[in-house]
Amino acid sequence: MPATQTPPLNNAPVGIFDSGVGGLSVLQHIRTQLPHESLCYFADSGFAPYGEKSEADIMQRTLFAARHLLQQGVKAIVVACNTATAAAISTLRTHYPELIIIGVEPGLKPAASLTKTACVGVLATTSTLASQKYQLLSDQLQQATHIQFIRQACPGLVTQIELGDLDGPITRALLNTYLQPLTDAKADVIVLGCTHYPFIADTIRQVAAEQGNPAIQIVDTGLAISRQLQRLLEQHQLQAAPQTPLPLHCMTTGSTAKLQFVLSKLLHFQPDEYQIQEIDCNFAAP
Ligand code: DGL
């Protein structure tokens, strides 16, 4: 191949996966950080939320999504879901040892360097907070820093965000309940340990302020994930050539309307910048 020609795999898309629309909060950072990369997004909205499901179910769905993404010829997969990362990333790496696979986990380390009250609140799903992966991370950091990490599971929140309710009465009432223990403990940093939550970051700030905690700092790992992807693509010499990327290819096991709402209203995609394909939720394997 001539030295000037880019190998075909370089222009293959990057696959991004979440239980629903949450991973789009990570996708927006990847799009800004790596503007030449074509992206392929899998939303398992027909099966969301994952947060209350068993580890075995989450593992099976993660493999299901990975197979669909690999069928699109992706060169890397970002598991843009804390819950799926905690439950299934090692299984995924065992299945696809050659593939670049990046996971996400709650940003406890950046939060530890920000807190002044030595108290950090961690909002995540029940499953993420109960996982061995999370417990190990939080125990190690707590011992090393003496910072208190208060875990707060948020059942119901992902469902509201999937419905597009970012600041309505139900979402606010849930947040009011979930933030109160953090406010009472004087947490000054809140970790968004679920990729859906960046879409309600403003509402979280407002509710915390109403509870008398106006100076809360919010930690979201979307930017760090996009930088990690950039590093790994460079390491493997798999960066896309300077080009206009293909339109975003989305696959969903749920409703097209949910994805459309987030893409156009929150991420400001134009109609010609994406296409959506519906996938049968129960379709066993491509
Ligand atoms: N976005 C997923 C996460 O980061 C939400 C999990 C769910 O579907 O409950 O954990």
Side-chain angles (χ1 to χ4, degrees), residues 7-16 37-41 65-77 99-100 233 238 246 249 251 277 286:
L9 193 55
N10 286 56
N11 289 338
V14 170
I16 303 167
E37 298 293 342
S38 298
L39 305 176
C40 191
Y41 186 80
R67 285 196 294 270
H68 277 282
L69 288 170
L70 286 165
Q71 212 189 29
Q72 299 297 320
V74 299
K75 61 184 174 186
I77 291 184
L99 187 69
I100 297 176
L233 290 178
L238 276 177
L246 296 171
H249 180 96
M251 290 176 276
Q277 179 190 354

PDB file of all heavy atoms in Angstrom, residues 7-16 37-41 65-77 99-100 233 238 246 249 251 277 286:
ATOM      1  N   PRO A   7      -4.841   2.897   5.760  1.00  0.00           N
ATOM      2  CA  PRO A   7      -5.374   1.533   5.762  1.00  0.00           C
ATOM      3  C   PRO A   7      -6.880   1.550   5.998  1.00  0.00           C
ATOM      4  O   PRO A   7      -7.378   2.400   6.741  1.00  0.00           O
ATOM      5  CB  PRO A   7      -4.639   0.866   6.931  1.00  0.00           C
ATOM      6  CG  PRO A   7      -3.524   1.773   7.292  1.00  0.00           C
ATOM      7  CD  PRO A   7      -3.847   3.136   6.779  1.00  0.00           C
ATOM      8  N   PRO A   8      -7.636   0.623   5.388  1.00  0.00           N
ATOM      9  CA  PRO A   8      -9.108   0.679   5.448  1.00  0.00           C
ATOM     10  C   PRO A   8      -9.667   0.681   6.869  1.00  0.00           C
ATOM     11  O   PRO A   8     -10.648   1.359   7.140  1.00  0.00           O
ATOM     12  CB  PRO A   8      -9.556  -0.574   4.690  1.00  0.00           C
ATOM     13  CG  PRO A   8      -8.330  -1.299   4.291  1.00  0.00           C
ATOM     14  CD  PRO A   8      -7.126  -0.485   4.595  1.00  0.00           C
ATOM     15  N   LEU A   9      -9.037  -0.066   7.794  1.00  0.00           N
ATOM     16  CA  LEU A   9      -9.592  -0.146   9.142  1.00  0.00           C
ATOM     17  C   LEU A   9      -9.585   1.217   9.842  1.00  0.00           C
ATOM     18  O   LEU A   9     -10.426   1.486  10.714  1.00  0.00           O
ATOM     19  CB  LEU A   9      -8.800  -1.183   9.973  1.00  0.00           C
ATOM     20  CG  LEU A   9      -9.449  -1.613  11.287  1.00  0.00           C
ATOM     21  CD1 LEU A   9     -10.863  -2.131  11.086  1.00  0.00           C
ATOM     22  CD2 LEU A   9      -8.603  -2.662  12.005  1.00  0.00           C
ATOM     23  N   ASN A  10      -8.653   2.096   9.460  1.00  0.00           N
ATOM     24  CA  ASN A  10      -8.599   3.420  10.111  1.00  0.00           C
ATOM     25  C   ASN A  10      -9.902   4.190   9.933  1.00  0.00           C
ATOM     26  O   ASN A  10     -10.294   4.957  10.804  1.00  0.00           O
ATOM     27  CB  ASN A  10      -7.437   4.245   9.553  1.00  0.00           C
ATOM     28  CG  ASN A  10      -6.117   3.737  10.075  1.00  0.00           C
ATOM     29  OD1 ASN A  10      -5.818   2.566   9.913  1.00  0.00           O
ATOM     30  ND2 ASN A  10      -5.341   4.583  10.705  1.00  0.00           N
ATOM     31  N   ASN A  11     -10.529   4.013   8.789  1.00  0.00           N
ATOM     32  CA  ASN A  11     -11.761   4.768   8.554  1.00  0.00           C
ATOM     33  C   ASN A  11     -13.016   3.989   8.967  1.00  0.00           C
ATOM     34  O   ASN A  11     -14.134   4.436   8.713  1.00  0.00           O
ATOM     35  CB  ASN A  11     -11.847   5.212   7.093  1.00  0.00           C
ATOM     36  CG  ASN A  11     -10.821   6.307   6.819  1.00  0.00           C
ATOM     37  OD1 ASN A  11     -10.365   6.989   7.743  1.00  0.00           O
ATOM     38  ND2 ASN A  11     -10.429   6.461   5.567  1.00  0.00           N
ATOM     39  N   ALA A  12     -12.814   2.860   9.611  1.00  0.00           N
ATOM     40  CA  ALA A  12     -13.960   2.114  10.151  1.00  0.00           C
ATOM     41  C   ALA A  12     -14.549   2.922  11.310  1.00  0.00           C
ATOM     42  O   ALA A  12     -13.843   3.706  11.953  1.00  0.00           O
ATOM     43  CB  ALA A  12     -13.495   0.745  10.649  1.00  0.00           C
ATOM     44  N   PRO A  13     -15.841   2.739  11.598  1.00  0.00           N
ATOM     45  CA  PRO A  13     -16.433   3.523  12.698  1.00  0.00           C
ATOM     46  C   PRO A  13     -16.001   3.047  14.082  1.00  0.00           C
ATOM     47  O   PRO A  13     -15.530   1.926  14.248  1.00  0.00           O
ATOM     48  CB  PRO A  13     -17.939   3.292  12.512  1.00  0.00           C
ATOM     49  CG  PRO A  13     -18.065   2.051  11.710  1.00  0.00           C
ATOM     50  CD  PRO A  13     -16.819   1.892  10.910  1.00  0.00           C
ATOM     51  N   VAL A  14     -16.190   3.936  15.060  1.00  0.00           N
ATOM     52  CA  VAL A  14     -16.045   3.579  16.479  1.00  0.00           C
ATOM     53  C   VAL A  14     -17.453   3.238  16.976  1.00  0.00           C
ATOM     54  O   VAL A  14     -18.398   3.987  16.719  1.00  0.00           O
ATOM     55  CB  VAL A  14     -15.481   4.766  17.285  1.00  0.00           C
ATOM     56  CG1 VAL A  14     -15.556   4.491  18.785  1.00  0.00           C
ATOM     57  CG2 VAL A  14     -14.040   5.066  16.874  1.00  0.00           C
ATOM     58  N   GLY A  15     -17.587   2.108  17.651  1.00  0.00           N
ATOM     59  CA  GLY A  15     -18.885   1.700  18.194  1.00  0.00           C
ATOM     60  C   GLY A  15     -19.057   2.207  19.617  1.00  0.00           C
ATOM     61  O   GLY A  15     -18.113   2.169  20.414  1.00  0.00           O
ATOM     62  N   ILE A  16     -20.247   2.705  19.922  1.00  0.00           N
ATOM     63  CA  ILE A  16     -20.535   3.208  21.283  1.00  0.00           C
ATOM     64  C   ILE A  16     -21.838   2.554  21.720  1.00  0.00           C
ATOM     65  O   ILE A  16     -22.801   2.483  20.937  1.00  0.00           O
ATOM     66  CB  ILE A  16     -20.677   4.750  21.278  1.00  0.00           C
ATOM     67  CG1 ILE A  16     -19.390   5.376  20.716  1.00  0.00           C
ATOM     68  CG2 ILE A  16     -20.972   5.287  22.680  1.00  0.00           C
ATOM     69  CD1 ILE A  16     -19.518   6.837  20.365  1.00  0.00           C
ATOM     70  N   GLU A  37     -13.704  10.945  13.132  1.00  0.00           N
ATOM     71  CA  GLU A  37     -14.130   9.559  13.319  1.00  0.00           C
ATOM     72  C   GLU A  37     -15.614   9.385  12.972  1.00  0.00           C
ATOM     73  O   GLU A  37     -16.455  10.167  13.413  1.00  0.00           O
ATOM     74  CB  GLU A  37     -13.905   9.114  14.783  1.00  0.00           C
ATOM     75  CG  GLU A  37     -12.468   9.141  15.245  1.00  0.00           C
ATOM     76  CD  GLU A  37     -11.575   8.113  14.542  1.00  0.00           C
ATOM     77  OE1 GLU A  37     -12.093   7.148  13.948  1.00  0.00           O
ATOM     78  OE2 GLU A  37     -10.344   8.296  14.604  1.00  0.00           O
ATOM     79  N   SER A  38     -15.921   8.327  12.218  1.00  0.00           N
ATOM     80  CA  SER A  38     -17.320   7.953  12.010  1.00  0.00           C
ATOM     81  C   SER A  38     -17.757   7.161  13.238  1.00  0.00           C
ATOM     82  O   SER A  38     -16.972   6.395  13.801  1.00  0.00           O
ATOM     83  CB  SER A  38     -17.456   7.065  10.768  1.00  0.00           C
ATOM     84  OG  SER A  38     -17.038   7.777   9.628  1.00  0.00           O
ATOM     85  N   LEU A  39     -19.019   7.368  13.647  1.00  0.00           N
ATOM     86  CA  LEU A  39     -19.481   6.752  14.889  1.00  0.00           C
ATOM     87  C   LEU A  39     -20.728   5.903  14.651  1.00  0.00           C
ATOM     88  O   LEU A  39     -21.567   6.218  13.789  1.00  0.00           O
ATOM     89  CB  LEU A  39     -19.796   7.834  15.934  1.00  0.00           C
ATOM     90  CG  LEU A  39     -18.659   8.824  16.251  1.00  0.00           C
ATOM     91  CD1 LEU A  39     -19.132   9.894  17.223  1.00  0.00           C
ATOM     92  CD2 LEU A  39     -17.431   8.105  16.815  1.00  0.00           C
ATOM     93  N   CYS A  40     -20.829   4.851  15.439  1.00  0.00           N
ATOM     94  CA  CYS A  40     -21.969   3.946  15.338  1.00  0.00           C
ATOM     95  C   CYS A  40     -22.480   3.748  16.762  1.00  0.00           C
ATOM     96  O   CYS A  40     -21.696   3.386  17.654  1.00  0.00           O
ATOM     97  CB  CYS A  40     -21.419   2.647  14.761  1.00  0.00           C
ATOM     98  SG  CYS A  40     -22.640   1.511  14.263  1.00  0.00           S
ATOM     99  N   TYR A  41     -23.752   4.027  17.014  1.00  0.00           N
ATOM    100  CA  TYR A  41     -24.278   4.013  18.388  1.00  0.00           C
ATOM    101  C   TYR A  41     -25.355   2.947  18.547  1.00  0.00           C
ATOM    102  O   TYR A  41     -26.282   2.859  17.732  1.00  0.00           O
ATOM    103  CB  TYR A  41     -24.863   5.393  18.718  1.00  0.00           C
ATOM    104  CG  TYR A  41     -25.295   5.530  20.161  1.00  0.00           C
ATOM    105  CD1 TYR A  41     -24.351   5.777  21.137  1.00  0.00           C
ATOM    106  CD2 TYR A  41     -26.622   5.386  20.539  1.00  0.00           C
ATOM    107  CE1 TYR A  41     -24.720   5.883  22.478  1.00  0.00           C
ATOM    108  CE2 TYR A  41     -27.006   5.487  21.867  1.00  0.00           C
ATOM    109  CZ  TYR A  41     -26.047   5.734  22.832  1.00  0.00           C
ATOM    110  OH  TYR A  41     -26.414   5.838  24.154  1.00  0.00           O
ATOM    111  N   ALA A  65     -25.241  -6.401  22.058  1.00  0.00           N
ATOM    112  CA  ALA A  65     -24.934  -5.086  21.463  1.00  0.00           C
ATOM    113  C   ALA A  65     -23.583  -5.135  20.739  1.00  0.00           C
ATOM    114  O   ALA A  65     -23.449  -4.613  19.629  1.00  0.00           O
ATOM    115  CB  ALA A  65     -24.897  -4.022  22.561  1.00  0.00           C
ATOM    116  N   ALA A  66     -22.604  -5.783  21.363  1.00  0.00           N
ATOM    117  CA  ALA A  66     -21.264  -5.854  20.751  1.00  0.00           C
ATOM    118  C   ALA A  66     -21.332  -6.563  19.402  1.00  0.00           C
ATOM    119  O   ALA A  66     -20.693  -6.133  18.436  1.00  0.00           O
ATOM    120  CB  ALA A  66     -20.308  -6.563  21.698  1.00  0.00           C
ATOM    121  N   ARG A  67     -22.130  -7.626  19.330  1.00  0.00           N
ATOM    122  CA  ARG A  67     -22.237  -8.357  18.054  1.00  0.00           C
ATOM    123  C   ARG A  67     -22.823  -7.463  16.966  1.00  0.00           C
ATOM    124  O   ARG A  67     -22.381  -7.478  15.827  1.00  0.00           O
ATOM    125  CB  ARG A  67     -23.097  -9.623  18.231  1.00  0.00           C
ATOM    126  CG  ARG A  67     -22.364 -10.741  18.958  1.00  0.00           C
ATOM    127  CD  ARG A  67     -23.084 -12.076  18.780  1.00  0.00           C
ATOM    128  NE  ARG A  67     -24.382 -12.086  19.429  1.00  0.00           N
ATOM    129  CZ  ARG A  67     -24.595 -12.468  20.690  1.00  0.00           C
ATOM    130  NH1 ARG A  67     -23.599 -12.868  21.431  1.00  0.00           N
ATOM    131  NH2 ARG A  67     -25.813 -12.458  21.198  1.00  0.00           N
ATOM    132  N   HIS A  68     -23.831  -6.666  17.332  1.00  0.00           N
ATOM    133  CA  HIS A  68     -24.427  -5.751  16.344  1.00  0.00           C
ATOM    134  C   HIS A  68     -23.415  -4.706  15.888  1.00  0.00           C
ATOM    135  O   HIS A  68     -23.343  -4.365  14.706  1.00  0.00           O
ATOM    136  CB  HIS A  68     -25.664  -5.060  16.925  1.00  0.00           C
ATOM    137  CG  HIS A  68     -26.888  -5.914  16.822  1.00  0.00           C
ATOM    138  ND1 HIS A  68     -27.590  -6.068  15.643  1.00  0.00           N
ATOM    139  CD2 HIS A  68     -27.514  -6.680  17.731  1.00  0.00           C
ATOM    140  CE1 HIS A  68     -28.608  -6.891  15.842  1.00  0.00           C
ATOM    141  NE2 HIS A  68     -28.578  -7.270  17.100  1.00  0.00           N
ATOM    142  N   LEU A  69     -22.639  -4.190  16.834  1.00  0.00           N
ATOM    143  CA  LEU A  69     -21.645  -3.162  16.473  1.00  0.00           C
ATOM    144  C   LEU A  69     -20.556  -3.779  15.598  1.00  0.00           C
ATOM    145  O   LEU A  69     -20.133  -3.177  14.598  1.00  0.00           O
ATOM    146  CB  LEU A  69     -21.038  -2.538  17.732  1.00  0.00           C
ATOM    147  CG  LEU A  69     -21.988  -1.615  18.511  1.00  0.00           C
ATOM    148  CD1 LEU A  69     -21.387  -1.234  19.858  1.00  0.00           C
ATOM    149  CD2 LEU A  69     -22.298  -0.355  17.700  1.00  0.00           C
ATOM    150  N   LEU A  70     -20.133  -4.987  15.944  1.00  0.00           N
ATOM    151  CA  LEU A  70     -19.064  -5.628  15.154  1.00  0.00           C
ATOM    152  C   LEU A  70     -19.558  -5.936  13.744  1.00  0.00           C
ATOM    153  O   LEU A  70     -18.791  -5.895  12.788  1.00  0.00           O
ATOM    154  CB  LEU A  70     -18.579  -6.897  15.863  1.00  0.00           C
ATOM    155  CG  LEU A  70     -17.714  -6.584  17.093  1.00  0.00           C
ATOM    156  CD1 LEU A  70     -17.556  -7.808  17.981  1.00  0.00           C
ATOM    157  CD2 LEU A  70     -16.342  -6.046  16.665  1.00  0.00           C
ATOM    158  N   GLN A  71     -20.839  -6.191  13.614  1.00  0.00           N
ATOM    159  CA  GLN A  71     -21.401  -6.437  12.290  1.00  0.00           C
ATOM    160  C   GLN A  71     -21.307  -5.177  11.407  1.00  0.00           C
ATOM    161  O   GLN A  71     -21.300  -5.257  10.189  1.00  0.00           O
ATOM    162  CB  GLN A  71     -22.857  -6.872  12.430  1.00  0.00           C
ATOM    163  CG  GLN A  71     -23.260  -7.829  11.349  1.00  0.00           C
ATOM    164  CD  GLN A  71     -24.744  -8.090  11.351  1.00  0.00           C
ATOM    165  OE1 GLN A  71     -25.554  -7.233  11.754  1.00  0.00           O
ATOM    166  NE2 GLN A  71     -25.122  -9.251  10.906  1.00  0.00           N
ATOM    167  N   GLN A  72     -21.219  -4.016  12.065  1.00  0.00           N
ATOM    168  CA  GLN A  72     -21.050  -2.753  11.324  1.00  0.00           C
ATOM    169  C   GLN A  72     -19.575  -2.483  11.043  1.00  0.00           C
ATOM    170  O   GLN A  72     -19.217  -1.423  10.548  1.00  0.00           O
ATOM    171  CB  GLN A  72     -21.620  -1.576  12.126  1.00  0.00           C
ATOM    172  CG  GLN A  72     -23.109  -1.665  12.432  1.00  0.00           C
ATOM    173  CD  GLN A  72     -23.943  -1.649  11.167  1.00  0.00           C
ATOM    174  OE1 GLN A  72     -23.653  -0.909  10.230  1.00  0.00           O
ATOM    175  NE2 GLN A  72     -24.971  -2.484  11.124  1.00  0.00           N
ATOM    176  N   GLY A  73     -18.697  -3.400  11.449  1.00  0.00           N
ATOM    177  CA  GLY A  73     -17.271  -3.271  11.156  1.00  0.00           C
ATOM    178  C   GLY A  73     -16.527  -2.291  12.044  1.00  0.00           C
ATOM    179  O   GLY A  73     -15.526  -1.712  11.617  1.00  0.00           O
ATOM    180  N   VAL A  74     -16.972  -2.117  13.289  1.00  0.00           N
ATOM    181  CA  VAL A  74     -16.313  -1.128  14.161  1.00  0.00           C
ATOM    182  C   VAL A  74     -14.878  -1.549  14.506  1.00  0.00           C
ATOM    183  O   VAL A  74     -14.568  -2.726  14.591  1.00  0.00           O
ATOM    184  CB  VAL A  74     -17.104  -0.868  15.467  1.00  0.00           C
ATOM    185  CG1 VAL A  74     -18.485  -0.317  15.152  1.00  0.00           C
ATOM    186  CG2 VAL A  74     -17.200  -2.123  16.333  1.00  0.00           C
ATOM    187  N   LYS A  75     -14.020  -0.541  14.724  1.00  0.00           N
ATOM    188  CA  LYS A  75     -12.610  -0.826  15.052  1.00  0.00           C
ATOM    189  C   LYS A  75     -12.366  -0.743  16.566  1.00  0.00           C
ATOM    190  O   LYS A  75     -11.288  -1.104  17.036  1.00  0.00           O
ATOM    191  CB  LYS A  75     -11.692   0.158  14.329  1.00  0.00           C
ATOM    192  CG  LYS A  75     -11.916   1.618  14.701  1.00  0.00           C
ATOM    193  CD  LYS A  75     -11.047   2.558  13.886  1.00  0.00           C
ATOM    194  CE  LYS A  75     -11.411   4.007  14.171  1.00  0.00           C
ATOM    195  NZ  LYS A  75     -10.701   4.948  13.313  1.00  0.00           N
ATOM    196  N   ALA A  76     -13.335  -0.243  17.295  1.00  0.00           N
ATOM    197  CA  ALA A  76     -13.219  -0.124  18.757  1.00  0.00           C
ATOM    198  C   ALA A  76     -14.629  -0.033  19.327  1.00  0.00           C
ATOM    199  O   ALA A  76     -15.563   0.374  18.617  1.00  0.00           O
ATOM    200  CB  ALA A  76     -12.454   1.147  19.122  1.00  0.00           C
ATOM    201  N   ILE A  77     -14.784  -0.432  20.583  1.00  0.00           N
ATOM    202  CA  ILE A  77     -16.097  -0.296  21.244  1.00  0.00           C
ATOM    203  C   ILE A  77     -15.931   0.478  22.555  1.00  0.00           C
ATOM    204  O   ILE A  77     -15.075   0.147  23.381  1.00  0.00           O
ATOM    205  CB  ILE A  77     -16.749  -1.673  21.534  1.00  0.00           C
ATOM    206  CG1 ILE A  77     -17.164  -2.337  20.211  1.00  0.00           C
ATOM    207  CG2 ILE A  77     -17.957  -1.530  22.462  1.00  0.00           C
ATOM    208  CD1 ILE A  77     -17.901  -3.665  20.370  1.00  0.00           C
ATOM    209  N   LEU A  99      -9.747  -6.598  20.222  1.00  0.00           N
ATOM    210  CA  LEU A  99     -10.488  -5.350  19.996  1.00  0.00           C
ATOM    211  C   LEU A  99     -10.161  -4.288  21.050  1.00  0.00           C
ATOM    212  O   LEU A  99      -9.966  -4.624  22.219  1.00  0.00           O
ATOM    213  CB  LEU A  99     -11.988  -5.681  20.043  1.00  0.00           C
ATOM    214  CG  LEU A  99     -12.970  -4.579  19.671  1.00  0.00           C
ATOM    215  CD1 LEU A  99     -12.890  -4.246  18.175  1.00  0.00           C
ATOM    216  CD2 LEU A  99     -14.398  -5.013  20.013  1.00  0.00           C
ATOM    217  N   ILE A 100     -10.117  -3.029  20.629  1.00  0.00           N
ATOM    218  CA  ILE A 100      -9.992  -1.927  21.604  1.00  0.00           C
ATOM    219  C   ILE A 100     -11.355  -1.789  22.295  1.00  0.00           C
ATOM    220  O   ILE A 100     -12.371  -1.542  21.637  1.00  0.00           O
ATOM    221  CB  ILE A 100      -9.630  -0.603  20.904  1.00  0.00           C
ATOM    222  CG1 ILE A 100      -8.262  -0.715  20.219  1.00  0.00           C
ATOM    223  CG2 ILE A 100      -9.666   0.562  21.889  1.00  0.00           C
ATOM    224  CD1 ILE A 100      -7.883   0.520  19.422  1.00  0.00           C
ATOM    225  N   LEU A 233      -6.490   4.855  20.096  1.00  0.00           N
ATOM    226  CA  LEU A 233      -6.490   4.820  18.630  1.00  0.00           C
ATOM    227  C   LEU A 233      -5.112   5.218  18.111  1.00  0.00           C
ATOM    228  O   LEU A 233      -4.593   4.624  17.159  1.00  0.00           O
ATOM    229  CB  LEU A 233      -7.576   5.744  18.055  1.00  0.00           C
ATOM    230  CG  LEU A 233      -9.033   5.304  18.267  1.00  0.00           C
ATOM    231  CD1 LEU A 233      -9.989   6.334  17.684  1.00  0.00           C
ATOM    232  CD2 LEU A 233      -9.302   3.929  17.649  1.00  0.00           C
ATOM    233  N   LEU A 238      -4.709   3.685  14.616  1.00  0.00           N
ATOM    234  CA  LEU A 238      -6.019   3.436  14.003  1.00  0.00           C
ATOM    235  C   LEU A 238      -6.861   4.710  13.867  1.00  0.00           C
ATOM    236  O   LEU A 238      -8.074   4.641  13.666  1.00  0.00           O
ATOM    237  CB  LEU A 238      -6.794   2.414  14.844  1.00  0.00           C
ATOM    238  CG  LEU A 238      -6.476   0.942  14.573  1.00  0.00           C
ATOM    239  CD1 LEU A 238      -7.262   0.040  15.515  1.00  0.00           C
ATOM    240  CD2 LEU A 238      -6.779   0.566  13.130  1.00  0.00           C
ATOM    241  N   LEU A 246     -18.793   9.793   8.231  1.00  0.00           N
ATOM    242  CA  LEU A 246     -20.101   9.360   7.748  1.00  0.00           C
ATOM    243  C   LEU A 246     -21.166   9.850   8.729  1.00  0.00           C
ATOM    244  O   LEU A 246     -20.854  10.095   9.903  1.00  0.00           O
ATOM    245  CB  LEU A 246     -20.146   7.832   7.694  1.00  0.00           C
ATOM    246  CG  LEU A 246     -19.190   7.152   6.709  1.00  0.00           C
ATOM    247  CD1 LEU A 246     -19.193   5.643   6.934  1.00  0.00           C
ATOM    248  CD2 LEU A 246     -19.595   7.490   5.279  1.00  0.00           C
ATOM    249  N   HIS A 249     -24.476   6.484  12.626  1.00  0.00           N
ATOM    250  CA  HIS A 249     -25.384   5.348  12.427  1.00  0.00           C
ATOM    251  C   HIS A 249     -25.869   4.882  13.803  1.00  0.00           C
ATOM    252  O   HIS A 249     -25.073   4.441  14.616  1.00  0.00           O
ATOM    253  CB  HIS A 249     -24.646   4.213  11.705  1.00  0.00           C
ATOM    254  CG  HIS A 249     -25.503   3.011  11.457  1.00  0.00           C
ATOM    255  ND1 HIS A 249     -26.156   2.795  10.272  1.00  0.00           N
ATOM    256  CD2 HIS A 249     -25.849   1.977  12.259  1.00  0.00           C
ATOM    257  CE1 HIS A 249     -26.864   1.668  10.352  1.00  0.00           C
ATOM    258  NE2 HIS A 249     -26.684   1.156  11.551  1.00  0.00           N
ATOM    259  N   MET A 251     -28.433   2.476  16.158  1.00  0.00           N
ATOM    260  CA  MET A 251     -29.308   1.303  16.216  1.00  0.00           C
ATOM    261  C   MET A 251     -30.011   1.354  17.567  1.00  0.00           C
ATOM    262  O   MET A 251     -29.372   1.656  18.579  1.00  0.00           O
ATOM    263  CB  MET A 251     -28.482   0.017  16.141  1.00  0.00           C
ATOM    264  CG  MET A 251     -27.860  -0.206  14.783  1.00  0.00           C
ATOM    265  SD  MET A 251     -26.787  -1.670  14.775  1.00  0.00           S
ATOM    266  CE  MET A 251     -25.298  -0.977  15.407  1.00  0.00           C
ATOM    267  N   GLN A 277     -31.713   3.014  12.908  1.00  0.00           N
ATOM    268  CA  GLN A 277     -32.193   1.694  12.492  1.00  0.00           C
ATOM    269  C   GLN A 277     -32.813   1.014  13.711  1.00  0.00           C
ATOM    270  O   GLN A 277     -32.194   0.997  14.779  1.00  0.00           O
ATOM    271  CB  GLN A 277     -30.965   0.899  12.002  1.00  0.00           C
ATOM    272  CG  GLN A 277     -31.232  -0.499  11.551  1.00  0.00           C
ATOM    273  CD  GLN A 277     -29.914  -1.277  11.330  1.00  0.00           C
ATOM    274  OE1 GLN A 277     -28.807  -0.725  11.412  1.00  0.00           O
ATOM    275  NE2 GLN A 277     -30.045  -2.543  11.067  1.00  0.00           N
ATOM    276  N   PRO A 286     -26.793 -11.609  15.422  1.00  0.00           N
ATOM    277  CA  PRO A 286     -26.714 -11.375  13.993  1.00  0.00           C
ATOM    278  C   PRO A 286     -25.902 -12.486  13.322  1.00  0.00           C
ATOM    279  O   PRO A 286     -25.120 -13.154  13.969  1.00  0.00           O
ATOM    280  CB  PRO A 286     -25.975 -10.051  13.870  1.00  0.00           C
ATOM    281  CG  PRO A 286     -25.503  -9.661  15.208  1.00  0.00           C
ATOM    282  CD  PRO A 286     -26.035 -10.622  16.202  1.00  0.00           C
TER     283      PRO A 286
END
